[in-house]
Amino acid sequence: MPEARTQPSFSSEKPSRKISKPRLPALSGLRAFAALNIVFFHFSNPKWFGPFAPIVDNGYTSVSFFLLMSGFILAYNYSDRAQQGQFQAKHFWLARLSRLYPVYLFALLVSVGMLVEEWHVRTRGEFTLGAALTPFLLQGWVPKLATFWNTPAWTMCTEAFFYLIFPAVVVWRRPKHWRGLLGMLALLWMAGMLLPALYTIFHPDGPHPGRYTDGFWIRALKFSPPPHVPSFLFGIVLADVDALIARDSRARLWLGLVGIAGLYAVLYYGDHMPYAMMHDGLLMPLFALAILGLAGTNFLARFFGFAPFVAVGQASYCLYILHFNLWEIIHKSNVLRNTHMEMFDPWISYLLLIAAALLTMKFIERPAQSWIRRRIPA
């Protein structure tokens, strides 16, 4: 996901106005685990992971974490500037465009072979519309086409919408005290659960929806931007809460432990939870506790701040956007069989995906970001 870095990667203002923020490497490390969990969710047998099987089996919830985290990181990096009148929308959008789109486009080019499959399974009208919308990050607005061409790319459509509204949202006046902030979080949590609750009550796509339910309403709930807005706003308000807690506060350790333990407990019983409620709403407070805990200085933050975890976390957007179709390319090409590496699969495939993500970040994402910033005046 695009906000993999937990410090400003590009100031939206002139250097003299830049507001320095402490780095939060543990959150990058946490992103590494979330991104890998999505890979495992798509391409593994959860039973391989022993006590962590419930986490992998419900790996789709990692996307909800990313969406909430995007609001938190953007607010963490930009709220102070917005409050001081130093935030300009066009500079922000340029920063996001230069970070998001080069890798997004590269992933589509790598996945161009998938268009052949789309041609065979779609009507001509669907194919034409999907091919037109996807390069412009608009496919999520048509639920049936949200996963066209590159399945995980629907999330970038949602992120692009978040970026569009963020300049207007970040300048909203928010409470400065605990009671008001916690009240806002509670309201956003309830708002995030509203649509999933209605879906669960009325089950418009039939009873017992699950991972493979493909009805219009579950696709709209999962893949279109509006249902995820409360989660994004929740992350923004969470950054205000974070600012009220000292980094070295002992409370952060307990918040992190409760959040992580709570997430494990809910995911352990995930099969017994209403499927629609597991998307964004239900888990938002637990994601928040985990984020607040890892944004501190404690042994949890030190563990997730381990340098290899942080490195993969910084490349988590590349890993996320590339993994689905790159996995298909690796296995359809028979490269593992031809190199006699098949016996090490799927672990060798996971390593190849991580390596591809790191190389993409180094040789495509960062150079392209610099190239765009040099040529488009801020």
Side-chain angles (χ1 to χ4, degrees), residues 249-312:
S249 171
R250 185 174 298 180
R252 285 190 181 270
L253 174 60
W254 291 107
L255 293 174
L257 289 172
V258 170
I260 292 172
L263 285 170
Y264 183 85
V266 172
L267 296 179
Y268 186 87
Y269 293 101
D271 290 344
H272 304 286
M273 301 287 181
Y275 177 72
M277 299 294 289
M278 295 287 282
H279 293 271
D280 291 348
L282 185 64
L283 299 176
M284 284 161 60
L286 296 175
F287 289 147
L289 293 177
I291 290 170
L292 292 175
L294 269 64
T297 54
N298 49 64
F299 80 85
L300 276 179
R302 288 191 292 273
F303 172 79
F304 284 95
F306 183 48
F309 299 161
V310 174
V312 176

Side-chain angles (χ1 to χ4, degrees), residues 137-300:
L137 300 133
L138 295 172
Q139 68 274 39
W141 295 97
V142 182
K144 191 171 185 178
L145 300 175
T147 54
F148 185 90
W149 196 339
N150 184 10
T151 295
W154 70 266
T155 316
M156 300 306 105
C157 171
T158 298
E159 289 284 358
F161 179 67
F162 290 168
Y163 297 158
L164 182 65
I165 66 174
F166 181 74
V169 171
V170 73
V171 296
W172 287 353
R173 290 189 177 182
R174 300 187 294 276
K176 301 296 183 182
H177 49 82
W178 280 100
R179 182 179 298 178
L181 289 173
L182 294 178
M184 286 192 71
L185 290 177
L187 289 174
L188 290 169
W189 182 33
M190 290 187 287
M193 290 192 292
L194 177 60
L195 292 179
L198 291 174
Y199 183 91
T200 300
I201 293 170
F202 295 105
H203 44 81
D205 297 315
H208 311 300
R211 177 180 178 181
Y212 299 105
T213 301
D214 198 42
F216 172 84
W217 293 106
I218 192 64
R219 290 185 67 86
L221 185 67
K222 289 164 58 174
F223 300 134
S224 62
H228 302 294
V229 169
S231 186
F232 178 66
L233 299 179
F234 188 101
I236 292 174
V237 177
L238 182 65
D240 293 334
V241 174
D242 173 76
L244 297 179
I245 309 174
R247 296 284 161 215
D248 59 355
S249 171
R250 185 174 298 180
R252 285 190 181 270
L253 174 60
W254 291 107
L255 293 174
L257 289 172
V258 170
I260 292 172
L263 285 170
Y264 183 85
V266 172
L267 296 179
Y268 186 87
Y269 293 101
D271 290 344
H272 304 286
M273 301 287 181
Y275 177 72
M277 299 294 289
M278 295 287 282
H279 293 271
D280 291 348
L282 185 64
L283 299 176
M284 284 161 60
L286 296 175
F287 289 147
L289 293 177
I291 290 170
L292 292 175
L294 269 64
T297 54
N298 49 64
F299 80 85
L300 276 179

Side-chain angles (χ1 to χ4, degrees), residues 321-340:
I321 200 68
L322 286 170
H323 82 276
F324 199 92
N325 286 349
L326 191 55
W327 177 282
E328 296 294 329
I329 292 170
I330 290 171
H331 290 84
K332 289 181 179 179
S333 68
N334 292 319
V335 63
L336 297 181
R337 180 180 301 175
N338 295 337
T339 56
H340 308 289

